[in-house]
Amino acid sequence: DKCGNVVRSGGEAPAAAVAGADWIDLFDPAPAETALVTDMTGLSIPSRAELVEIESSSRLSSIAGEMGAVVTMSMPLVHMRPTGAIAAPLGLVLARDRLVTVRFAPSQAIDNLPSRLHDPVEPHSAGILVGLLEAVVDRQADGLEQMTAEVDQISHRIFQLRMMADGRRGGAQRREQESELRETVMHLGRLYSSVSLVRDSQLGIARIIPYLVAVTEWLPKSLNARFKTMARDVGSLNEFITHLTDKIQ
């Protein structure tokens, strides 16, 4: 679909719309979609296999372009589900005139971003990227708050539980309580895994910010304050993640 200057995969977007878009969002793209974007933009679109590389040199790279450096970045994108979080790679290809995102999991932060791109002063591709990263940070902060509430509920339930002596009358209730404790341990394990995935995603953002500033000479100066604010927010969230991890353990 096309929303203003945003083109998303999943439909038959006209080639002209792809060529003129400021932001192209590829969601689990078919080879034909990737080929179309490459042909229309001249940008190299990374595959999923390339995005899951763990080396820093693979996750952050830049090449010289006619309009300045073109930066390719990747980070884990966390998708929160009722059964726990999962992570999938998110690719970011940033050129002076457009942003291409490549993802393989749903993301409300990204899906809702077009409605937040209302500032006419920042139609710039880098401004869209900053808005995207800010939205991801905000979404993950909300997720951490929810996980903290779950941990608090579990904590109260555990320490208020009184195990009955095993006997003719208490045996059934004791078995029920032991079953509840096993379920609680599994719940804690899912929470710990979810927090770890959010930490990895935040680490990815923390690496992207200084790299982007260092290698992209054409970044608008107006974005500097937002970069600094986001770096502080990521630092605060990492401290909170450490506290929450300790509490779960």
Side-chain angles (χ1 to χ4, degrees), residues 179-221:
S179 176
E180 182 181 352
L181 284 175
R182 284 194 295 270
E183 292 178 1
T184 299
V185 171
M186 293 177 63
H187 191 177
L188 284 171
R190 290 193 296 269
L191 284 170
Y192 184 85
S193 176
S194 298
V195 173
S196 297
L197 293 177
V198 173
R199 178 180 56 200
D200 292 343
S201 184
Q202 291 291 312
L203 179 60
I205 296 175
R207 289 173 174 169
I208 283 174
I209 295 172
Y211 181 82
L212 189 60
V213 172
V215 303
T216 313
E217 73 285 351
W218 47 262
L219 282 178
K221 300 299 182 183

Side-chain angles (χ1 to χ4, degrees), residues 75-80 85-90 105-110 116 131-149 191 193-206 208 230 233-238 240-241 244:
M75 56 173 279
L77 182 65
V78 180
H79 173 47
M80 306 300 296
I86 60 171
L90 168 65
S107 170
Q108 288 191 16
I110 295 179
R116 300 174 54 172
L132 185 153
L133 295 178
E134 290 171 339
V136 170
V137 171
D138 290 345
R139 180 71 179 174
Q140 292 183 354
D142 293 340
L144 289 171
E145 290 178 358
Q146 180 178 346
M147 285 185 272
T148 301
L191 284 170
S193 176
S194 298
V195 173
S196 297
L197 293 177
V198 173
R199 178 180 56 200
D200 292 343
S201 184
Q202 291 291 312
L203 179 60
I205 296 175
I208 283 174
M230 185 162 38
D233 290 344
V234 170
S236 297
L237 282 183
N238 284 332
F240 184 81
I241 288 171
L244 183 56

Side-chain angles (χ1 to χ4, degrees), residues 22 94-99 122-130 218:
D22 294 322
L94 179 67
R96 188 166 188 163
D97 58 341
R98 76 183 76 248
L99 168 69
E122 292 290 356
H124 200 280
S125 59
I128 298 172
L129 173 62
V130 174
W218 47 262

